[in-house]
Every structure is written in structure tokens, then in C-alpha cells.
């Protein structure tokens, strides 16, 4: 194999955010841009020679081209085997599983998740370590540092590899294995959930479902699992064909971007259960007939009911949520007498807790839920969890949620995003908040008295590392909270996220519209910034 060393220009903007390096396609297509970043990753890693690397992506525009480039750079840098999803496709949770199952050294996941795709959309790349999870901050910082001094990369002179045929081929000492993108993941799901019960509930018509794959990666996974394995009619799936540009849509499963599903679930024609997933398959939106379940509530409900699922029958070790996620799961943990950890936003912070067996379930308010089974959030796993719950409890989603609120109270919750804010303005808002938090404690605003105000700094109890500047928290005497942070996944200007929550113990008041119930806090949040 002939290996060339290419002299390259250095880029200074390759700083991975919440979940990998995300940029406009036009940025990634600059000369040597992708090559540099991949080389910077490899230069920062050690002892991977002759080991295996998993490669796959969400199928967006530039996915296939990028994979061909990565194959050649990985070959030149001495990996022994490349395990690649057929046609370059792997959902993020499936990639995590493949890394773990085949004991790979790590993996490269090509995705910009819920960001729009296509020639004018976004592209992204993320490195996952051998536990199957996103590289921790110390690694992503090292990638960035290396990228700023990189002058050369190594690339093997190879023909393009045919990605559509399953099987192994060898090029000298390098093995290239193309695997079925779905099979291993489907088998994992079958080992966690009661597929016989699910099949019976779906085939008897007790559960009817509508799943929207948003023209992204989960289509083939949903077809295999829901239709082929569980017997759901094919018309239960919408937008199940992955498209390079996701059909020109925003593959973000929420009430705005998945509004067709939302309209259906609030109509007379609603099936028992509705769900959607995002571009790379790690997010989930859960709906029942006439109800949308907030991700924070979903996490709490899954935790409270986990022992009904075969894979979690022996109970939970602990739970974790990202800092801005509502405190609903904390109440469940308290009742179950298990620990509840608060981590910064981004799945990479759950990895250590999962590896150390301190937690079994974890989640984020941004439509992400997951467990011990992989080291990424997992959209279809959450959907199957809910289906298994409905089948076991023989109750509607609405009844399950309302009973949960009656038992634990409701954490009324909302997130407001201010997108494409000029970066300098966003920075000013953050600086001003940093000043204000000094003086906020004990001040009273209407019925809200500030109990604490701080800038969240996380101490990882497993490896002792510290992650500072993770957003501002303002907590009130009555348990309400306002959180401010800047997004680390946007590609245009800055995105300010404001998270607002209020606890409502009185079940007579559980049916309020969150925007109305939270109106005073929303006003206060705007006043602070
Ligand atoms: C957002 C979410 C965060 C999530 C991240 C990646 O990050 O808030 O909870 O982990 O996206 O999700 P940010 O920094 O924009 O708030 V995904 O589905 O893009 O891998
Ligand atoms: Co995603």
C-alpha cells in the first residue's frame, strides 16, 4: 500500500462542540478540511495500530465521500481493520453498539444529528472511544489543539471501496469489513425488551403506532424492528426512506419539526402511540393519543417503571440527567432511594457514570434518553421502552403520564431557543448574567425568591475531572428554576437556550398549558438577559 504524506494548510476553527465538529458542508468541503481533522484525531490517540475502527454515518449529503477519505487516512495511519456500515450507514446508537460488540478501538460517526442536511446544510464528525461513547472533553480538546498546529496528513493510495456489499476484503494487512447496519442493533433491542408481548400487542391491534423517521437514518431500523420483527403494518412508518437532504426538512423530532405527526396524534384518527427520531437516530419524541410527553417527564416515567422491562427487571443502580433537564427524575430517584447525578449538557458526560455502573438510565431534556446498553442516547430504544410499558401496563400514554404526575407531582417545563443571535451579543448576555448571579440570591421577584444562583461547574466523581462554565442556574425557594446556556451544536452565530421549570404538586392544576403556567418565570428570564 503506497502511503503519501500531504503538506496541508492549518485550520484554526476545528473545535468540537457539544457533540463533535459541526460545520456547514461548504466548510467541510474546503481543501483538506476533513483530512486535517481526521489526522488531528489520530495524532491525538495512541496505540491503535492494527486495531479496528468503526465508521458510519446518518447518510446525509457528503457521507459517502467523507467515508472514502477516512478509509484512506485510517489505512495510512495503521489501523488493522475498518468496520463500516453498509452503504456507509449507521445510526449513532448502532455505531456505539458496534464499537462495544466488536471490541473496536473507537469509531468515527459522521453526522450533524438534527441539523438540516444537503449541499447547503450541515455536516459533522465525531470520535467515539472504545466504550462506545463520545470522546470525553480532554480528548476533544486535544483534537482541537493538534488541529491548530497540523501541517501534514497521511493518506493511502487506494481505490474507492465498494460500500454496498456485506463482507470482508483485505488490502495487504488491512481488513475492511462491511456489516449489515441494522442486524446487530435489532438483536440488542430484542435482548432488552419483551418482543413476544410487543408482537402480540401490535398484531392484535391493541397497540397501533405511527413512527416518523423524518427521511433520516432510522427508516431501515424501524422497518426491520417494527414491521418485520413485530408485525406492524408498513403504513405505520412515515418518511422511512433515508434521503441525503432529509427531504429538505429539519430532522429534529419535536412539535415544530414533526408537526405532521403531532397533528395526527391530536386528531380523531390518532393511533395509540406516536414517535419520531432525529437525523442520526439518537433522539426520540414520544406521543400518545392527545398527549405529547416532554423528554424530562419521559425519563422520569421510564425510571419509575423500569422494572416492568425484562432488561431492567432487577432495578436501577442510579440515574443521571443533564443540568437543564427538569427535576422530575430526581423525584423518582428519591422515592426509589437511588442516586441521581446532574451532568453538563452532552452525552459524553454520562459515559464515566455508566462505565462505573453508577447509573442505569440517563437522559436530557433535548429528546435524548438512554441506558447502560450503549454509550449514546438511543431513539428507537426509547420508543420500544414506551411500547413495552403500554403493553405491560395495559394503559394509554395519557393515563400513564397522568398517574405519574399524581404520584410525583408535575414539573412543568419549557425550553426557549433564540437562534442565530449575533455572537458578540450572546457573549454580552452571558457576561451580564455572570455579574448578576453574584447579587441574585435572596432577592424576591413577585412570588419567586432566589435561593441560589451559580455558574454550573461539573466535578466528575469517577475520574475527578472538572468541566467549568456549563451554564447559569437560578433556583428559587419553591423549587422552580431558570437555566441559561449557549448551544454547542449550532453552525450560524450563537444560539441562546433558556430552560424554565416550575413544580406543581396539585393534580387539579396539572393540565395547564406550560407557556401560561410558566408565564411569570418566562418574563423574569427575559428580564435577567
Ligand atoms: C444539543 C442538546 C444536547 C444534546 C446535543 C447533541 O446541544 O441541547 O442536549 O446532547 O444537542 O444532540 P446544544 O449544545 O446545542 O444545546 V444530537 O441529537 O445533536 O447528537
Ligand atoms: Co442526534
Amino acid at each position: 500500500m503506497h502511503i503519501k504524506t500531504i503538506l496541508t494548510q492549518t485550520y484554526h476553527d476545528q473545535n468540537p462542540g457539544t457533540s463533535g465538529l459541526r460545520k456547514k458542508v461548504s466548510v467541510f468541503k474546503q481543501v483538506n478540511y476533513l483530512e486535517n481533522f481526521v489526522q488531528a484525531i489520530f495524532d491525538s490517540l495512541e496505540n491503535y495500530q492494527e486495531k479496528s475502527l468503526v465508521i458510519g454515518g446518518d447518510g446525509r449529503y457528503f457521507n459517502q465521500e467523507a467515508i472514502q477519505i477516512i478509509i484512506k487516512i485510517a489505512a495510512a495511519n495503521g489501523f488493522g481493520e475498518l468496520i463500516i456500515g453498509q452503504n456507509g450507514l449507521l445510526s449513532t446508537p448502532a455505531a456505539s453498539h458496534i464499537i462495544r460488540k466488536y471490541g473496536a478501538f473507537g469509531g468515527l460517526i459522521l453526522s450533524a444529528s438534527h441539523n438540516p442536511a444537503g449541499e447547503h446544510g450541515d455536516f459533522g464528525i465525531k470520535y467515539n472511544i472504545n466504550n462506545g461513547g463520545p470522546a470525553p472533553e480532554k480528548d476533544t480538546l486535544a483534537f482541537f489543539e493538534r488541529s491548530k498546529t497540523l501541517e501534514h496528513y497521511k493518506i493511502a493510495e487506494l481505490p474507492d471501496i465498494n460500500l454496498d456489499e456485506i463482507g470482508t476484503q483485505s488490502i495487504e494487512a488491512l481488513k475492511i469489513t462491511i456489516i449489515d447496519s441494522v442486524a446487530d442493533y435489532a438483536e440488542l433491542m430484542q435482548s432488552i425488551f419483551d418482543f413476544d408481548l410487543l408482537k402480540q400487542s401490535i398484531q392484535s391491534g391493541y397497540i397501533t403506532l405511527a413512527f416518523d423517521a423524518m427521511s433520516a437514518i432510522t427508516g431501515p431500523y424501524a422497518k426491520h424492528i417494527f414491521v418485520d420483527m413485530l408485525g406492524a403494518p408498513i403504513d405505520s412508518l412515515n418518511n422511512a426512506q433515508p434521503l441525503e437532504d432529509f427531504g429538505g426538512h429539519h430532522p429534529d423530532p419535536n412539535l415544530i419539526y414533526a408537526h405532521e405527526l403531532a397533528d395526527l396524534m391530536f386528531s380523531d384518527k390518532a393511533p395509540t402511540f406516536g414517535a419520531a427520531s432525529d437525523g442520526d437516530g439518537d433522539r426520540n419524541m414520544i406521543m400518545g393519543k392527545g398527549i405529547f410527553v416532554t423528554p424530562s417527564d419521559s425519563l422520569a416515567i421510564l425510571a419509575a417503571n423500569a422494572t416492568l422491562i425484562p432488561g431492567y427487571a432487577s432495578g436501577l443502580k442510579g440515574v443521571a440527567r443533564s443540568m437543564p433537564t427538569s427535576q422530575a427524575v430526581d423525584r423518582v430517584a428519591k422515592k426509589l432511594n437511588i442516586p441521581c447525578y446532574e451532568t453538563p449538557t452532552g452525552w459524553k458526560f454520562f459515559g464515566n457514570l455508566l462505565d462505573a455502573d453508577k447509573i442505569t438510565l440517563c437522559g436530557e431534556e433535548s429528546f435524548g434518553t438512554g441506558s447502560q446498553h450503549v454509550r449514546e442516547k438511543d431513539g428507537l430504544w426509547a420508543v420500544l421502552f414506551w411500547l413495552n410499558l403500554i403493553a405491560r401496563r395495559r394503559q394509554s400514554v395519557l393515563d400513564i403520564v397522568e398517574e405519574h404526575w399524581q404520584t410525583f407531582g408535575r414539573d412543568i417545563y419549557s425550553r426557549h431557543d433564540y437562534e442565530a443571535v449575533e455572537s458578540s451579543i450572546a457573549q454580552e448576555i452571558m457576561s451580564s448574567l455572570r455579574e448578576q448571579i453574584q447579587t441574585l440570591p435572596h432577592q424576591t421577584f413577585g412570588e419567586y425568591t432566589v435561593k441560589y444562583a451559580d455558574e454550573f461547574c461539573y466535578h466528575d466523581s469517577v475520574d475527578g475531572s472538572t468541566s467549568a462554565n456549563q451554564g447559569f442556574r437560578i433556583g428559587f425557594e419553591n423549587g422552580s428554576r431558570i437555566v441559561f446556556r449557549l448551544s454547542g451544536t449550532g453552525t450560524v452565530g450563537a444560539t441562546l437556550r433558556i430552560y424554565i421549570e416550575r413544580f406543581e404538586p396539585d393534580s387539579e392544576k396539572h393540565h395547564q398549558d406550560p407557556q401560561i403556567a410558566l408565564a411569570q418565570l418566562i418574563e423574569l428570564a427575559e428580564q435577567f438577559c
Side-chain angles (χ1 to χ4, degrees):
M1 192 184 310
H2 185 234
I3 292 165
K4 290 187 294 186
T5 300
I6 309 282
L7 183 68
T8 180
Q9 70 277 46
T10 311
Y11 290 96
H12 293 272
D13 64 343
Q14 300 193 322
N15 190 10
T18 312
S19 184
L21 184 68
R22 275 185 208 179
K23 300 282 175 194
K24 290 270 163 228
V25 165
S26 53
V27 173
F28 264 104
K29 280 198 163 181
Q30 293 173 94
V31 180
N32 297 336
Y33 192 88
L34 175 71
E35 289 84 343
N36 277 22
F37 189 62
V38 173
Q39 185 67 57
I41 294 174
F42 295 160
D43 281 356
S44 314
L45 304 172
E46 278 171 5
N47 302 326
Y48 54 79
Q49 274 69 27
E50 291 165 35
K51 299 199 176 130
S52 53
L53 180 75
V54 172
I55 309 172
D58 63 14
R60 67 179 59 224
Y61 179 82
F62 197 50
N63 194 52
Q64 298 247 2
E65 245 177 274
I67 288 183
Q68 296 295 348
I69 295 172
I70 292 168
I71 291 173
K72 295 177 181 116
I73 299 181
N77 280 276
F79 278 96
E81 183 179 13
L82 306 177
I83 303 174
I84 309 172
Q86 190 177 20
N87 294 316
L89 299 179
L90 282 179
S91 77
T92 292
S96 181
H97 176 53
I98 302 286
I99 295 171
R100 295 165 67 76
K101 180 168 176 180
Y102 296 103
F105 182 84
L108 285 170
I109 302 178
L110 309 177
S111 170
S113 188
H114 54 287
N115 297 16
E119 209 178 330
H120 305 290
D122 293 344
F123 190 74
I125 176 167
K126 180 168 79 155
Y127 179 72
N128 281 27
I129 58 176
N130 67 343
N131 74 352
E137 263 193 339
K138 67 167 175 36
D139 290 345
T140 56
L141 282 170
F143 304 160
F144 181 41
E145 286 309 315
R146 177 67 189 120
S147 71
K148 288 188 287 188
T149 57
L150 191 100
E151 289 175 346
H152 300 95
Y153 66 85
K154 286 194 274 183
I155 189 155
E157 267 184 355
L158 295 176
D160 277 359
I161 303 298
N162 178 0
L163 300 177
D164 41 81
E165 254 173 67
I166 291 175
T168 299
Q169 47 181 298
S170 295
I171 305 174
E172 294 169 32
L174 174 70
K175 262 180 27 179
I176 298 185
T177 303
I178 310 292
I179 56 165
D180 184 303
S181 311
V182 177
D184 293 300
Y185 177 82
E187 193 181 87
L188 175 67
M189 293 300 110
Q190 200 169 11
S191 73
I192 299 173
F193 301 106
D194 187 343
F195 268 42
D196 290 336
L197 174 67
L198 283 175
K199 199 168 167 182
Q200 186 247 323
S201 305
I202 289 174
Q203 288 185 341
S204 66
Y206 177 72
I207 294 179
T208 50
L209 82 139
F211 178 80
D212 192 337
M214 304 193 86
S215 307
I217 190 71
T218 49
Y221 292 84
K223 184 177 171 295
H224 186 70
I225 295 172
F226 299 136
V227 179
D228 302 343
M229 294 175 87
L230 299 175
I234 185 81
D235 63 3
S236 315
L237 308 182
N238 277 313
N239 304 313
Q241 179 64 39
L243 301 173
E244 277 205 329
D245 67 347
F246 302 144
H249 300 299
H250 207 133
D252 198 356
N254 58 37
L255 292 174
I256 295 171
Y257 296 119
H259 61 87
E260 276 174 23
L261 177 72
D263 291 347
L264 172 70
M265 296 311 295
F266 283 110
S267 78
D268 296 341
K269 296 197 194 87
T272 330
F273 181 80
S277 200
D278 72 333
D280 62 329
D282 56 0
R283 296 186 178 204
N284 69 88
M285 174 167 83
I286 301 296
M287 298 191 74
K289 192 176 169 74
I291 183 170
F292 156 70
V293 188
T294 70
S296 295
D297 278 345
S298 177
L299 173 64
I301 292 167
L302 300 191
N305 291 281
T307 50
L308 297 178
I309 306 297
Y312 308 101
S314 59
L316 306 178
K317 292 272 167 54
V319 289
R321 62 164 171 82
S322 69
M323 184 272 277
T325 303
S326 98
Q327 298 161 90
V329 74
D330 304 35
R331 299 178 208 289
V332 176
K334 201 167 171 205
K335 188 169 172 210
L336 296 176
N337 199 20
I338 55 172
C340 177
Y341 299 86
E342 185 177 41
T343 56
T345 293
W347 213 261
K348 58 183 168 227
F349 296 102
F350 293 130
N352 279 345
L353 294 170
L354 289 164
D355 285 351
D357 219 15
K358 290 190 169 202
I359 58 169
T360 311
L361 295 188
C362 48
E364 298 189 279
E365 51 65 41
S366 54
F367 298 80
T369 344
S371 90
Q372 274 286 358
H373 71 289
V374 287
R375 293 293 179 273
E376 288 278 2
K377 52 189 184 277
D378 189 345
L380 286 175
W381 168 89
V383 171
L384 286 163
F385 201 131
W386 268 95
L387 287 171
N388 204 154
L389 268 193
I390 299 167
R392 264 305 292 275
R393 289 187 47 156
R394 299 258 130 191
Q395 272 180 311
S396 68
V397 175
L398 185 69
D399 288 348
I400 293 174
V401 173
E402 288 192 343
E403 255 189 57
H404 184 89
W405 289 344
Q406 269 164 25
T407 311
F408 294 93
R410 177 178 179 191
D411 290 86
I412 303 175
Y413 186 86
S414 184
R415 178 176 110 184
H416 289 193
D417 291 338
Y418 298 78
E419 290 173 349
V421 178
E422 220 177 275
S423 298
S424 59
I425 296 179
Q427 289 307 335
E428 264 177 59
I429 293 174
M430 295 314 264
S431 311
S432 134
L433 282 166
R434 192 164 288 124
E435 270 169 39
Q436 286 179 69
I437 54 165
Q438 315 286 338
T439 57
L440 280 178
H442 314 301
Q443 284 196 50
T444 298
F445 304 89
E447 55 180 275
Y448 295 95
T449 300
V450 177
K451 188 172 172 189
Y452 65 89
D454 61 10
E455 185 162 15
F456 183 51
C457 176
Y458 178 61
H459 302 282
D460 187 311
S461 58
V462 179
D463 68 9
S465 63
T466 293
S467 303
N469 309 112
Q470 298 294 331
F472 296 103
R473 303 187 288 192
I474 302 173
F476 299 89
E477 293 290 353
N478 61 8
S480 300
R481 275 199 327 171
I482 302 175
V483 169
F484 300 87
R485 63 177 281 281
L486 293 182
S487 153
T489 58
T491 57
V492 184
T495 296
L496 173 69
R497 304 201 195 286
I498 306 184
Y499 312 78
I500 308 128
E501 68 180 291
R502 179 167 81 76
F503 181 57
E504 181 53 77
D506 182 355
S507 55
E508 296 290 307
K509 295 184 187 156
H510 282 167
H511 292 96
Q512 305 173 67
D513 174 340
Q515 302 312 315
I516 296 168
L518 298 170
Q520 273 193 46
L521 282 168
I522 293 170
E523 219 184 284
L524 210 53
E526 286 178 351
Q527 188 184 313
F528 290 147
C529 63

